[in-house]
């Protein structure tokens, strides 16, 4: 009989991990992170985990791949185990976009659409910066063709100082905004030796072929959003692959025992790590 303790699994952890968890990432950020391309399968046996967590991973997968990935999460969970998924909240962004649009239109003397307010403001004036930001929040990471896209450029130009934008950033976005404003992104702009060699190669190739290779390489790098989720659609997908008891959570709430102490979704001061996010948990049925 196997009496090994069940694992807590963090998939696509990046630099956000805890040593009490089994952490996986394609590019490990520390010795507590295992290298794995878990899109091809999570390298754990059946029913090995008490919980599986991934934050801002699912939206980077095409929908059919996302379903296979969630099926793998279901497989490695023990009966009764918990899956916690964090993704950008499409519904909240869409509601806030319409709210900002109506408020700008009213300020300019036009008539609003009557769509009602979202969660993004107090009904007062908003700036063109806020309007542009909502467009970027919904679309930039789906259509960008260079690292960081217009989103990072907007932060470098001070969008994070806008009173509407800053509360949406989360600790990660605020830190990035401060770094970009401080000019500390030079090393990231230079890239790794492999990336610099690739860019040199593009310079000597015919322009059209070079542009095509650069675009293919970028699109395969994993930065783009390839699908988006609202609460009901994510519930549908989770139930389709076998999960039950799908519930919306917050950055501060979870059914995973002592989840808050691991500091995965929230900073010590209570600030969410990522901005406008949807937090959902689901269970693997007792009879898997």
């Amino acid at each position: 009989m196997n009496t090994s303790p069940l694992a807590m699994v963090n998939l696509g952890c990046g630099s956000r991990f805890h040593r009490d968890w089994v952490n996986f990432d394609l590019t490990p950020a520390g010795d507590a992170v295992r290298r794995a391309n878990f899109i091809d399968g999570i390298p754990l046996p059946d029913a090995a985990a008490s919980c599986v967590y991934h934050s801002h991973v699912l939206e980077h997968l095409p929908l059919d791949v996302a379903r296979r990935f969630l099926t793998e999460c279901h497989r490695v969970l023990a009966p009764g185990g918990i899956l916690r998924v964090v993704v950008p909240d499409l519904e909240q962004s869409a509601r806030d976009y319409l709210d900002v649009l109506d408020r700008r239109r009213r300020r300019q003397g036009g008539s609003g659409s009557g769509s009602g307010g979202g969660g993004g403001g107090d009904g007062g004036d908003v700036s063109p910066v806020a309007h542009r930001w909502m467009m970027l929040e919904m679309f930039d990471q789906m259509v960008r063709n260079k690292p960081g896209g217009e989103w990072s450029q907007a932060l470098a130009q001070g969008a994070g100082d806008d009173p509407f934008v800053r509360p949406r950033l989360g600790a990660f976005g605020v830190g990035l905004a401060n770094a970009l404003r401080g000019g500390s992104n030079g090393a990231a702009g230079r890239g790794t030796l492999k990336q610099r060699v690739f860019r040199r190669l593009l310079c000597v190739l015919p322009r059209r072929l070079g542009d095509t290779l650069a675009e293919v390489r970028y699109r395969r790098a994993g930065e783009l959003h390839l699908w988006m989720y609202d609460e009901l659609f994510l519930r549908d997908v989770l139930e389709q692959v076998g999960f039950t008891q799908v519930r919306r959570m917050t950055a501060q709430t979870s059914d995973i025992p002592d989840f808050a102490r691991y500091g995965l979704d929230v900073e010590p001061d209570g600030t969410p790590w990522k901005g406008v996010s949807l937090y959902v948990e689901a269970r693997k049925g007792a009879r898997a």
Side-chain angles (χ1 to χ4, degrees), residues 90-151:
L90 174 60
E91 179 183 2
Q92 190 62 65
S93 291
R95 291 183 184 277
D96 291 347
Y97 161 72
L98 291 174
D99 179 52
V100 166
L101 188 65
D102 284 350
R103 287 157 63 187
R104 279 205 72 198
R105 185 176 285 124
R106 287 194 295 268
R107 181 182 182 183
Q108 295 176 6
S111 58
S113 69
S115 62
D122 58 6
D125 287 344
V126 291
S127 68
V129 172
H131 185 190
R132 179 190 179 208
W133 183 262
M134 290 313 306
M135 302 290 289
L136 296 178
E137 189 171 291
M138 291 193 295
F139 296 116
D140 178 64
Q141 206 159 341
M142 303 172 82
V143 302
R144 66 176 59 164
N145 55 17
K146 60 183 179 181
E150 297 290 326
W151 194 82

Side-chain angles (χ1 to χ4, degrees), residues 58 67 70-71 74 83 85 229 231-248 280-285:
L58 200 65
R67 288 192 175 101
L70 291 171
T71 300
H74 190 274
L83 172 69
V85 180
Y229 296 86
E231 179 184 358
L232 296 184
F233 186 77
L234 181 55
R235 177 189 299 271
D236 290 343
V237 175
L238 290 169
E239 290 178 346
Q240 287 166 8
V241 301
F243 285 99
T244 63
Q245 301 180 49
V246 182
R247 297 177 56 202
R248 183 167 192 155
V280 168
E281 290 184 3
R283 296 263 184 177
K284 180 174 180 175

Side-chain angles (χ1 to χ4, degrees), residues 34-53:
R34 304 182 188 181
R35 185 185 304 276
N37 183 359
F38 49 81
I39 304 308
D40 296 330
I42 301 171
L44 291 171
D46 295 355
S50 63
C51 56
V52 172
Y53 164 83

Side-chain angles (χ1 to χ4, degrees), residues 56-57 59-61 88 133-152 155 172 176 218-219 221-228 274:
H56 287 252
V57 170
E59 69 273 14
H60 294 276
L61 308 177
W133 183 262
M134 290 313 306
M135 302 290 289
L136 296 178
E137 189 171 291
M138 291 193 295
F139 296 116
D140 178 64
Q141 206 159 341
M142 303 172 82
V143 302
R144 66 176 59 164
N145 55 17
K146 60 183 179 181
E150 297 290 326
W151 194 82
S152 291
L155 289 178
F172 171 81
L176 178 60
Y218 176 70
R219 294 192 67 84
E223 183 177 338
L224 294 179
H225 288 175
L226 300 178
W227 198 263
M228 293 294 283
K274 283 297 183 81

